[in-house]
Amino acid sequence: MYNSRKKHLEEIPTEITPIWKCSNDECSGWMRDNFTFSAQPSCPHCNSSMVKGEKELQTIVNLSPTSMK
Ligand SMILES: [Zn+2]
């Protein structure tokens, strides 16, 4: 007898996204580059300087109200 498997969850698209990450090894703080308006952001957790990097993140679907026409 088989238990019917739960439907496979819809795959969430991901993409390699530019981010800033905290230069402090003891801190896991990071932020998306496109959410940063400073040329050299500092970590919101420990205020250390941040370094550029990249991370595989869920794609943000930009829901613009102008597309609802
Ligand atoms: Zn930090």
Side-chain angles (χ1 to χ4, degrees):
M1 211 184 268
Y2 293 104
N3 287 324
S4 61
R5 282 204 156 190
K6 277 183 185 168
K7 256 192 179 178
H8 194 268
L9 289 172
E10 242 181 86
E11 267 185 46
I12 298 162
T14 60
E15 61 184 357
I16 302 295
T17 309
I19 58 149
W20 289 91
K21 56 188 173 185
C22 185
S23 61
N24 180 354
D25 286 341
E26 288 165 26
C27 176
S28 57
W30 64 272
M31 60 175 82
R32 284 175 190 259
D33 181 46
N34 56 358
F35 285 5
T36 309
F37 302 102
S38 165
Q40 179 57 64
S42 53
C43 178
H45 300 289
C46 67
N47 226 28
S48 295
S49 63
M50 300 189 90
V51 292
K52 273 219 153 178
E54 49 188 28
K55 200 176 171 76
E56 190 170 359
L57 294 172
Q58 289 176 20
T59 305
I60 294 182
V61 179
N62 192 8
L63 293 172
S64 163
T66 54
S67 66
M68 300 281 286
K69 279 178 186 171

